[in-house]
């Protein structure tokens, strides 16, 4: 029996799904590289927001080596498209969990646990 697939967390779903080189008509006759929303999220977290790989992997709910493989795959496809004049299409990945940017998983400090509230400490 195969291992169950772990959901990968993404915080951004792009509204533009296709990019084509200038001077071509639509996507007819050109080759397109297909990026998943997971690969776009990896690029967004690492390259756009400038987070380190450990933070990115924790946010996406994957291991650091898995995050590195996702990032390499996305960068390879983007480089191929830029160098060889190919289009890029973005497809949604079925194994994702969307959590909007700025919302966490509830693992941070909760009510009554922050500094200065006196709970759990000797106060005067």
């Amino acid at each position: 029996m195969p291992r169950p697939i772990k959901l990968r967390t993404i915080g951004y779903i792009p509204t533009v799904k296709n990019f084509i080189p200038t001077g071509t008509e639509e996507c007819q006759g050109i080759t397109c590289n297909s990026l998943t929303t997971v690969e776009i999220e990896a690029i967004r977290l690492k390259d756009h927001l400038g987070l380190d790989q450990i933070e990115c992997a924790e946010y996406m709910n994957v291991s650091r080596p898995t995050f590195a493989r996702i990032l390499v795959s996305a960068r390879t496809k983007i480089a191929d498209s830029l160098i060889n004049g190919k289009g890029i299409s973005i497809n949604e990945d079925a194994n994702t969990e969307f959590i909007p940017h700025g919302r966490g998983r509830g693992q941070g400090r909760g009510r009554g646990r922050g500094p200065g509230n006196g709970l759990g400490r000797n106060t005067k």
Side-chain angles (χ1 to χ4, degrees):
M1 181 169 167
R3 191 173 131 187
I5 295 175
K6 195 174 182 183
L7 291 179
R8 295 171 177 178
T9 304
I10 60 171
Y12 172 75
I13 297 176
T15 54
V16 177
K17 305 286 186 184
N18 294 303
F19 295 89
I20 57 171
T22 313
T24 58
E25 301 293 326
E26 297 295 315
C27 276
Q28 299 169 357
I30 65 166
T31 307
C32 285
N33 282 318
S34 178
L35 289 168
T36 65
T37 50
V38 171
E39 291 170 325
I40 292 295
E41 181 69 357
I43 292 289
R44 182 182 79 88
L45 293 173
K46 180 67 177 137
D47 296 335
H48 184 66
L49 298 181
L51 302 177
D52 64 16
Q53 285 194 6
I54 294 171
E55 291 173 318
C56 296
E58 288 173 357
Y59 181 84
M60 289 182 65
N61 198 27
V62 296
S63 68
R64 200 215 47 83
T66 297
F67 179 80
R69 283 190 296 274
I70 293 168
L71 192 60
V72 166
S73 173
R75 286 177 174 169
T76 301
K77 292 175 185 179
I78 291 170
D80 180 45
S81 293
L82 292 173
I83 301 300
N84 298 314
K86 296 180 180 179
I88 297 174
S89 64
I90 300 170
N91 301 315
E92 292 193 29
D93 195 344
N95 302 316
T96 58
E97 170 186 33
F98 176 67
I99 297 178
H101 179 67
R103 296 184 179 260
R105 300 174 154 273
Q107 297 171 344
R109 294 181 181 220
R111 191 173 115 206
R113 296 179 190 261
N117 59 12
L119 296 176
R121 292 187 277 255
N122 292 333
T123 58
K124 294 183 182 179

